[in-house]
Amino acid sequence: MPDHFYLSEFDPARHRSFDYVSASNDWVPWVSASIPGSLDLQVRRRIESNLKHILAGLEMKAGLIIPHGERLAGREVLYEPYFQSLIFEFCVGVYSVCEGIGSAHHLHNIGDDGSAGPRVSRARWTDALVAEYDPADVLSLRERVEIVQDKRDRLHQDSLGARDDIDWHSFGYAQAFVPARQALQPLLQAEIGDVPATTNLLIR
């Protein structure tokens, strides 16, 4: 089932002790199609390399989160702190995907091929992402990306004395995972023909 990721009991006779959803390279066509062709070739290559691994990692996390969050086995399948940590990591990965693709579109929009390594601010890549994938604001993309950004920022430990305790309940299934997965949908749907058929990131 595509919504699952299995870790098998270790067996030295087996070639591997896991079954995966998609291989990283399965994501290259989608990432490539999602990046404007005006960017420098090496910039495109780096984005493809970075995001394909992040996306495969997101599938692994989703494959563990969904069975627990939906109680597909009729019971819990993860230790709750692991569940919350996986959701946090899922949000960080979604943030990176949105940041990479949003930054690529921002650079394209201003006629920059990215070869000089310009830094794109969060506000600019968010605006570019929304303009590209939800210009009429009917898919709540900005709202969901902002939720992802908020979850990602909660784990910053740069000003310890000024930060409140982390509310781990804010990394719940409905509060964090669902909107993070929903944030990916406009991006996936835009190049649906290049999305790996087996992925569990696409809401069907």
Side-chain angles (χ1 to χ4, degrees):
M1 295 176 65
D3 282 342
H4 293 66
F5 175 89
Y6 295 102
L7 293 175
S8 308
E9 183 176 356
F10 178 72
D11 180 352
R14 287 194 65 193
H15 177 63
R16 62 173 187 251
S17 292
F18 61 88
D19 296 299
Y20 58 86
V21 179
S22 305
S24 297
N25 283 335
D26 294 338
W27 280 101
V28 171
W30 179 82
V31 177
S32 179
S34 300
I35 301 169
S38 60
L39 296 189
D40 177 78
L41 182 62
Q42 288 304 310
V43 173
R44 288 175 55 85
R45 183 196 61 76
R46 286 194 293 271
I47 296 174
E48 290 171 2
S49 177
N50 292 341
L51 295 192
K52 71 178 184 180
H53 292 292
I54 291 171
L55 287 157
L58 287 175
E59 289 180 322
M60 180 274 286
K61 294 173 182 66
L64 293 169
I65 291 167
I66 292 170
H68 182 88
E70 298 289 345
R71 299 298 192 268
L72 296 181
R75 58 180 174 80
E76 296 180 351
V77 295
L78 288 172
Y79 178 46
E80 196 68 15
Y82 294 171
F83 179 61
Q84 294 163 340
S85 293
L86 282 168
I87 291 175
F88 161 65
E89 292 170 7
F90 187 87
C91 289
V92 172
V94 171
Y95 180 98
S96 293
V97 172
C98 292
E99 181 181 40
I101 294 177
S103 295
H105 282 284
H106 169 74
L107 293 174
H108 169 74
N109 293 341
I110 64 172
D112 190 328
D113 69 0
S115 59
R119 183 183 182 280
V120 179
S121 70
R122 176 186 287 184
R124 287 178 174 171
W125 69 251
T126 301
D127 286 347
L129 192 76
V130 173
E132 181 68 23
Y133 294 101
D134 188 20
D137 193 27
V138 296
L139 302 175
S140 302
L141 178 59
R142 183 180 297 276
E143 175 186 351
R144 288 162 179 165
V145 169
E146 288 175 351
I147 291 172
V148 169
Q149 293 169 345
D150 173 71
K151 303 308 179 189
R152 181 252 193 190
D153 289 349
R154 285 176 184 266
L155 269 288
H156 282 314
Q157 299 295 302
D158 53 344
S159 300
L160 296 178
R163 294 195 179 277
D164 293 331
D165 292 345
I166 295 168
D167 177 11
W168 286 97
H169 295 291
S170 70
F171 294 101
Y173 189 75
Q175 302 96 318
F177 175 76
V178 169
R181 191 182 184 205
Q182 289 172 333
L184 290 174
Q185 301 313 301
L187 285 66
L188 297 174
Q189 290 289 347
E191 304 295 344
I192 191 65
D194 291 306
V195 173
T198 56
T199 189
N200 56 11
L201 299 180
L202 188 66
I203 298 175
R204 295 175 172 87

